[in-house]
């Protein structure tokens, strides 16, 4: 095996199929950047309710709770690129549908909730093959660099989408921005469908209820046989719940600061810039300080930024712009140091035969708490301010991550 120390990002240029997959991901993340602003503002414009923001976010997490546990098993019976292609085409069609409804003046809260649910359902079936396809198009010794470069470039693309989305919204409106988003899904699906690789892990058995349950049990046994993945699963579920406030209340939060759609852009753009930059250095940081240490540090900083966001409203303009952007940048760096060690561990430590099944099981267990937390917070936010919620969750997040210093089972992140 090639020595990892001799491998540089330049070596990825020879991985043609990886680069094609990267191009598709980069294009669709550009659309995600536009969607981040356009759809969030559409929800707030139509509902005008902080509670419904949380409920909508909760609905987006329901598919993982309902289908996520079995999506990896089901998709393991079909070619990975075919599944990704179908999901992308359907997701693009949903974005196009909601834009048509918006232009016609017929979009309602029900349409938003329905499209949110369907889009997340497709994402729950797309995620396992998109993760498990990486080891098939990239050599094992390049996985660390490949995942880091993928995170960096796709985040940079999302930054671009977020940065220009206020311009697109002012020129084309929410409906026009969503049409552009739909086009990026279509392009990504076509690119992924053109990938060429040898896939020896498509289940050759006929998909039946009995075979599906049997495969699910096999995958679950592998999960239960690893203390590392059990710990990672429990811990990730807690963290996902703790991250719900910033994910679901950002439109209302920036509105409370006296900002419009540009407020989300001011927050999200530096966040993604930081993720773009820090992603390039995570492999070196992981090698020097250990994956577990940067993981814990990232979590502690994430909690600290939560607390920081809880006091920004005490400042005036233009300080608010600067502080919001600064908080977003620090949060982006924290998130990437949490996520990449986990992605590397999942991709390299799970046997390729079980990767799709375990990815979906882990995703369902860790993200299933999100809709529950969102629905609860939708009621809580009626009694306390978003800033108070941020402070509470910030303190809890930092404490939980610091306690992982004593969790020996997470040593495998190194």
């Amino acid at each position: 095996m090639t020595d990892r120390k001799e491998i540089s990002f330049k070596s990825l240029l020879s991985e043609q199929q990886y680069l094609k997959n990267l191009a598709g991901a980069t294009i669709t993340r550009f659309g995600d950047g536009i969607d981040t602003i356009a759809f969030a503002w559409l929800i707030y414009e139509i509902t005008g309710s902080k509670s419904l923001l949380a409920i909508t976010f909760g609905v987006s997490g329901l598919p993982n709770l309902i289908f996520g546990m079995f999506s990896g098993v089901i998709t393991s019976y079909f070619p990975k690129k075919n599944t990704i292609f179908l999901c992308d085409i359907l997701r693009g069609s949903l974005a196009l549908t909601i834009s048509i409804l918006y232009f016609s003046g017929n979009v309602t809260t029900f349409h938003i909730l329905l499209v949110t649910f369907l889009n997340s359902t497709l994402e729950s079936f797309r995620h396992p093959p998109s993760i498990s396809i990486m080891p098939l198009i990239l050599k094992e010794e390049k996985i660390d660099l490949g995942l880091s470069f993928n995170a960096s470039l796709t985040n940079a693309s999302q930054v671009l989408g977020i940065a220009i989305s206020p311009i697109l919204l002012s020129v084309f409106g929410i409906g026009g921005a969503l049409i552009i988003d739909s086009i990026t899904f279509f392009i990504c699906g076509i690119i992924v469908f053109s990938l060429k690789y040898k896939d020896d892990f498509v289940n050759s058995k006929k998909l039946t209820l009995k075979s599906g349950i049997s495969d699910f049990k096999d995958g679950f046994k592998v999960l239960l046989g690893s203390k590392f993945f059990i710990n990672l699963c429990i811990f990730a579920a807690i963290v996902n719940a703790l991250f719900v406030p910033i994910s679901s209340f950002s439109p209302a939060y920036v509105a409370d600061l006296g900002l419009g759609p540009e407020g989300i852009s001011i927050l999200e753009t530096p966040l993604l810039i930081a993720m773009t930059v820090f992603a390039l250095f995570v492999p070196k940081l992981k090698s020097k300080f250990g994956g577990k240490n940067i993981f814990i540090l990232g979590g502690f900083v994430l909690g600290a930024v939560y607390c920081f966001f809880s006091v920004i409203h005490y400042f005036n303009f233009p300080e608010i712009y600067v502080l919001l952007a600064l908080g977003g940048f620090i949060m982006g760096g924290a998130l990437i140091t949490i996520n990449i060690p986990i992605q590397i561990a999942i991709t390299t430590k799970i046997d390729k035969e079980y990767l799709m099944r375990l990815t979906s099981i882990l995703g369902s267990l860790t993200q299933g708490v999100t809709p529950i937390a969102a629905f609860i917070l939708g009621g809580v936010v009626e009694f306390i301010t978003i800033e108070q919620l941020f402070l509470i969750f910030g303190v809890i997040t930092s404490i939980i991550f610091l306690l992982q210093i004593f969790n020996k089972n997470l040593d495998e992140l190194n």
Side-chain angles (χ1 to χ4, degrees):
M1 183 180 292
T2 306
D3 188 349
R4 288 180 183 267
K5 294 183 179 179
E6 297 178 356
I7 300 175
S8 66
F9 285 106
K10 187 177 180 180
S11 66
L12 297 174
L13 297 177
S14 63
E15 303 291 340
Q16 191 175 41
Q17 301 308 309
Y18 165 79
L19 292 177
K20 286 169 65 177
N21 187 63
L22 178 62
T26 301
I27 291 171
T28 194
R29 283 296 289 275
F30 172 75
D32 287 343
I34 298 172
D35 179 82
T36 297
I37 309 297
F39 204 74
W41 212 252
L42 171 65
I43 295 169
Y44 199 50
E45 178 183 301
I46 296 298
T47 66
S49 167
K50 296 176 184 178
S51 294
L52 281 173
L53 278 173
I55 291 172
T56 302
F57 186 75
V59 169
S60 72
L62 280 177
N64 266 313
L65 191 62
I66 300 172
F67 308 114
M69 195 74 73
F70 302 97
S71 61
V73 173
I74 295 172
T75 53
S76 69
Y77 284 80
F78 306 95
K80 297 173 180 58
K81 67 179 184 180
N82 293 7
T83 303
I84 297 172
F85 169 76
L86 179 61
C87 289
D88 281 347
I89 296 300
L90 292 176
R91 290 164 75 200
S93 300
L94 288 173
L96 188 60
T97 299
I98 204 72
S99 69
I100 293 172
L101 288 171
Y102 181 82
F103 277 128
S104 65
N106 293 317
V107 65
T108 65
T109 301
F110 170 76
H111 294 132
I112 292 174
L113 294 176
L114 178 61
V115 168
T116 297
F117 181 82
L118 293 176
N119 191 58
S120 295
T121 298
L122 292 169
E123 178 60 28
S124 71
F125 282 93
R126 186 190 192 278
H127 183 66
S130 68
I131 292 294
S132 59
I133 206 171
M134 187 65 74
L136 304 179
I137 59 176
L138 192 61
K139 296 176 182 176
E140 183 179 351
E141 62 269 20
K142 297 182 181 181
I143 289 291
D144 287 28
L145 290 175
L147 288 173
S148 296
F149 189 62
N150 183 84
S152 179
L153 193 59
T154 54
N155 284 327
S157 179
Q158 191 167 359
V159 167
L160 180 61
I162 286 176
I164 71 169
S165 59
I167 300 174
L168 293 176
L169 286 171
S170 64
V171 176
F172 302 108
I174 292 175
L178 291 174
I179 288 176
I180 297 173
D181 183 34
S182 69
I183 293 172
T184 63
F185 278 123
F186 296 144
I187 295 175
C188 178
I190 292 170
I191 291 175
V192 172
F193 191 70
S194 70
L195 290 177
K196 296 178 181 179
Y197 58 89
K198 185 178 181 182
D199 190 351
D200 295 324
F201 300 100
V202 176
N203 202 323
S204 59
K205 297 184 295 183
K206 183 179 180 181
L207 176 59
T208 63
L209 180 61
K210 183 178 180 179
S211 64
I213 292 175
S214 175
D215 288 341
F216 172 76
K217 288 181 178 178
D218 289 342
F220 214 83
K221 285 180 182 178
V222 174
L223 172 64
L224 295 178
S226 170
K227 290 184 179 179
F228 168 64
F229 283 114
I230 291 175
N231 274 263
L232 196 64
C233 181
I234 294 172
F235 186 67
I238 294 172
V239 173
N240 279 339
L242 293 175
F243 198 63
V244 168
I246 195 68
S247 299
S248 56
F249 294 124
S250 57
Y253 173 67
V254 298
D256 286 346
L257 293 176
L259 304 175
E262 77 281 357
I264 302 178
S265 183
I266 292 171
L267 171 64
E268 293 279 355
T269 300
L271 186 150
L272 289 167
I273 288 175
M275 293 181 74
T276 300
V277 174
F278 277 82
L280 296 174
F281 296 98
V282 168
K284 289 185 178 180
L285 292 173
K286 178 176 178 286
S287 176
K288 187 173 183 178
F289 300 106
K292 179 181 177 181
N293 290 332
I294 65 172
F295 174 78
I296 292 172
L297 177 61
F300 175 77
V301 172
L302 177 63
V305 176
Y306 243 140
C307 296
F308 177 71
F309 281 147
S310 72
V311 299
I312 288 181
H313 65 285
Y314 289 115
F315 294 84
N316 299 313
F317 296 101
E319 288 90 350
I320 284 180
Y321 292 110
V322 176
L323 295 175
L324 190 61
L326 177 62
F329 185 84
I330 298 174
M331 178 172 280
L335 286 172
I336 207 69
T337 58
I338 295 171
N339 290 332
I340 288 187
I342 293 177
Q343 290 180 29
I344 292 173
I346 290 174
T347 307
T348 58
K349 294 182 180 295
I350 299 178
D351 189 286
K352 294 183 180 66
E353 181 181 354
Y354 294 98
L355 187 54
M356 288 181 67
R357 277 175 274 179
L358 281 182
T359 297
S360 64
I361 292 173
L362 283 169
S364 178
L365 292 175
T366 59
Q367 296 177 32
V369 299
T370 298
I372 298 173
F375 292 140
I376 293 173
L377 291 179
V380 170
V381 78
E382 295 296 325
F383 302 98
I384 64 175
T385 67
I386 293 176
E387 288 77 15
Q388 290 171 335
L389 194 65
F390 281 5
L391 179 61
I392 294 169
F393 272 64
V395 172
I396 294 174
T397 301
S398 291
I399 291 174
I400 286 180
F401 269 94
L402 284 177
L403 288 175
Q404 302 315 303
I405 293 173
F406 307 104
N407 190 342
K408 300 298 182 183
N409 290 303
L410 290 182
D411 289 348
E412 289 194 46
L413 286 173
N414 297 324

